[in-house]
Amino acid sequence: MSQVTEFNEYRQRMNEKIMAADNKVIKRFFNLDTNTYQAGALDVKTKEMLGLACSMVLRCDDCIKYHLGKCHEEGLNDEEIYEVFAIANLIGGSIVIPHFRRAVEYWEILKEEAGPLAPPHHHDA
């Protein structure tokens, strides 16, 4: 099983288990996260780039993988993703570098598994 598939399946499985606990506060918190990344004054692509940069500065590898996947879905190319990486490294400092390395590795895996880049799909109605 690939890293991408393993990460996504684990995340989905555990989210389902968490939601099954039916805790109102947790459900509201997860819903807030979902709504935050929907298009608004900022488009989804911009929000995912912000999420990626913030996740790198906070050094959360799971968050970085999640936002890399979303950035890939939104059609970011290498030049764009490396500009986000540059901002995160500048703001976060040298402690971000190990996370940056893993982010580059995961980005390469995402591109290999997806094949040719598909146009981004937007959820705007």
Side-chain angles (χ1 to χ4, degrees):
M1 184 181 313
S2 78
Q3 273 191 50
V4 174
T5 303
E6 187 176 336
F7 174 76
N8 288 327
E9 286 182 0
Y10 174 79
R11 184 177 177 279
Q12 182 177 346
R13 184 173 68 251
M14 294 312 298
N15 282 352
E16 288 170 3
K17 186 172 189 68
I18 290 165
M19 289 297 114
D22 202 28
N23 178 283
K24 181 173 67 173
V25 174
I26 291 172
K27 282 186 166 185
R28 286 182 177 177
F29 187 78
F30 274 51
N31 184 262
L32 183 63
D33 181 75
T34 299
N35 283 305
T36 298
Y37 287 96
Q38 291 179 357
L42 298 174
D43 62 14
V44 172
K45 181 178 176 179
T46 301
K47 288 183 174 189
E48 290 300 339
M49 290 187 290
L50 289 165
L52 174 59
C54 291
S55 296
M56 289 181 73
V57 171
L58 291 171
R59 303 185 306 275
C60 174
D61 286 333
D62 278 9
C63 303
I64 292 166
K65 286 179 180 178
Y66 175 79
H67 289 293
L68 281 170
K70 290 297 186 180
C71 284
H72 190 268
E73 286 176 17
E74 289 299 313
L76 268 78
N77 61 34
D78 286 352
E79 188 176 6
E80 291 169 315
I81 208 79
Y82 272 84
E83 287 191 10
V84 175
F85 290 159
I87 291 167
N89 277 279
L90 178 68
I91 294 170
S94 62
I95 199 166
V96 173
I97 292 171
H99 303 275
F100 174 38
R101 289 185 189 117
R102 288 189 289 274
V104 169
E105 176 186 27
Y106 196 76
W107 181 251
E108 294 300 320
I109 292 167
L110 280 167
K111 292 190 309 179
E112 285 171 20
E113 289 190 8
L117 194 62
H121 57 282
H122 297 284
H123 306 286
D124 301 325

